[in-house]
Amino acid sequence: MTSDHRLAPIAPGRRPLIGHAPAMLRDRLAFLQHLRTHGPIVRIALGTKSVTVVNSPELIHQMLTARSNAFTKGLLFEKLKLFGNDALPVADGPGHLTRRRLMQPAFHREQVTGYVRTMRDTATSAIGAWCEGDDLDLKTEMQLIAQNIVMSTAFSTTPGPRAAHAILTSVDTLFKAALRRALLPVPFLDRLPTRYNRRLARASSTLHHVVDGIITDHRARPDDYNDVVSLLLDARDETGAPLPDDDILSEVTGLLAAGSETAAVVMAWLFHELSRHPHLEARLHTEVDTVLAGGELTADHLPQLTFTRALVQETLRLYSPGWLVTRQATETVRLGDYTLPAGTDVVWSPYTLHRDPGLYPDPLKFDPDRWLPNRLQLPKNAFIPFGAGKRQCIGDAFAWTEMTVVTALIASRWHLRPAPGTRPVPVGAITVHPSALRMNPEARRADGAREAA
């Protein structure tokens, strides 16, 4: 390589044959965080596979925007095709743009505002079933709430408790498989009739059976629905032909999977932090009580819930769900001082970007006030929890609205206290999960709480 075509340096700690795999497997999040100390771009070896890690916020933004046409979504998104080959979250190339334009109307901000009542009613039903002193697995509770919100707003259906748990278990099983196959790619093992692969097949079958039933019902009673499934069924390509059944199935399945995960883990972490910071919880309660004034939460209240949104934003920063985002160069690309040859596997981490001390003062402190207008403005591109550019998450406005609504509703009715012995730590699964987060609800009483719903 000439000086004009330099490869990024190899990170220290590579071992013969196995590369950096032991450090990655020992603590994925800490390993990626430490890589930031080795420069804007660095290479690691996972076994015999070389992976380029982009740390610089400027270069990440360049890769996601100006140079996005030179990259596909990469290995992790390829494995996420377990949910459907052509679903928007994993689609690439011209197909991605076509599908995004098709789905966009359902996620316009004006349309999302119209979902607030359904979000409120769905969440209220769930948290109204809690009893004081319950031992809640909060991550699972939040996943079920998020899953039911997606299904009620986008599919006009809400499953019963048993079906909801079966759907969530299937989604979790497929997510774990996708991550495992991305980190330890051994393609021939994916095709063997092992117990693990049979479990995956059952999970996929369960999920597709649910989605197929939703689509069948929409086809049988089209005048009863006006939602995302209706949009997909009514869509026509440039020749006037409807979308193939498999495409509709993939799109609905992908949306269901994506919608049950990201917002849920953020909300779980948010209430964990509130339990550690009673003064912040008190500020949240004061805002919610003042804004709602004992009435039902509506879309008109959302702009007034400024501290609630700041709590969501700070949780998104400190516990960014995306710890590993992949890309693959389709041509030789120049980023900064280094060259990425065609075929280079690339990763970047929102989680480590948002904890970079060079971008955020006291980055490990949970400080929602850092987002208030009178505070020092952050560098451009320092906060991109939903990505950037043409592949930015289409559901970002939906997620912001959902997290604000659910946070306000829970705060209007409950304190959530950690169960004895609960000390969650972040775990790099498909998103950044709490290792274990059990909490006990306590009804708000003497502190002036008013029920919002």
Side-chain angles (χ1 to χ4, degrees), residues 31 40 132 137 176 185 193 195 223 288 297 322 402 420 430 451:
F31 175 68
E132 187 153 2
D137 177 344
K176 288 174 184 176
R195 180 182 300 176
D223 294 339
V288 169
L297 186 153
E402 174 189 13
I430 196 68
E451 288 196 1

Side-chain angles (χ1 to χ4, degrees), residues 6 13 27 33 65 81 85 90 124 169 283 308 327 359 419 428:
R6 288 191 301 158
D27 191 334
Q33 188 74 59
T65 56
K81 289 184 178 181
N85 285 333
V90 298
T124 296
T169 298
R283 287 174 63 186
T308 308
R327 291 289 186 267
L359 301 173

Side-chain angles (χ1 to χ4, degrees), residues 328-352:
Q328 187 177 68
T330 57
E331 59 187 66
T332 299
V333 182
R334 179 86 169 182
L335 281 183
D337 295 331
Y338 302 106
T339 295
L340 281 59
T344 298
D345 286 300
V346 182
V347 303
W348 69 282
S349 173
Y351 180 87
T352 67

Side-chain angles (χ1 to χ4, degrees), residues 63 67-72 327-330 333 340 346 391:
M63 179 173 65
R67 303 308 309 273
S68 63
N69 288 337
F71 295 91
T72 61
R327 291 289 186 267
Q328 187 177 68
T330 57
V333 182
L340 281 59
V346 182
R391 293 191 178 102

Side-chain angles (χ1 to χ4, degrees), residues 32 36 52-55 60 63-64 77 322-327 346-354 384-388:
L32 285 179
R36 302 192 70 78
T52 296
V53 182
V54 181
N55 294 316
I60 290 170
M63 179 173 65
L64 299 180
F77 291 95
W323 68 275
L324 185 75
V325 183
T326 61
R327 291 289 186 267
V346 182
V347 303
W348 69 282
S349 173
Y351 180 87
T352 67
L353 174 71
H354 296 157
I384 47 173
F386 295 102

Side-chain angles (χ1 to χ4, degrees), residues 198-209:
R198 288 196 296 271
R199 187 164 72 248
L200 290 187
R202 287 195 298 272
S204 181
S205 177
T206 296
L207 205 54
H208 285 178
H209 176 74

Side-chain angles (χ1 to χ4, degrees), residues 367-386:
D367 178 18
D369 288 337
R370 76 172 78 236
W371 301 104
L372 299 182
N374 60 346
R375 290 284 289 267
L376 182 67
Q377 293 301 300
L378 294 167
K380 188 179 180 181
N381 309 323
F383 184 68
I384 47 173
F386 295 102

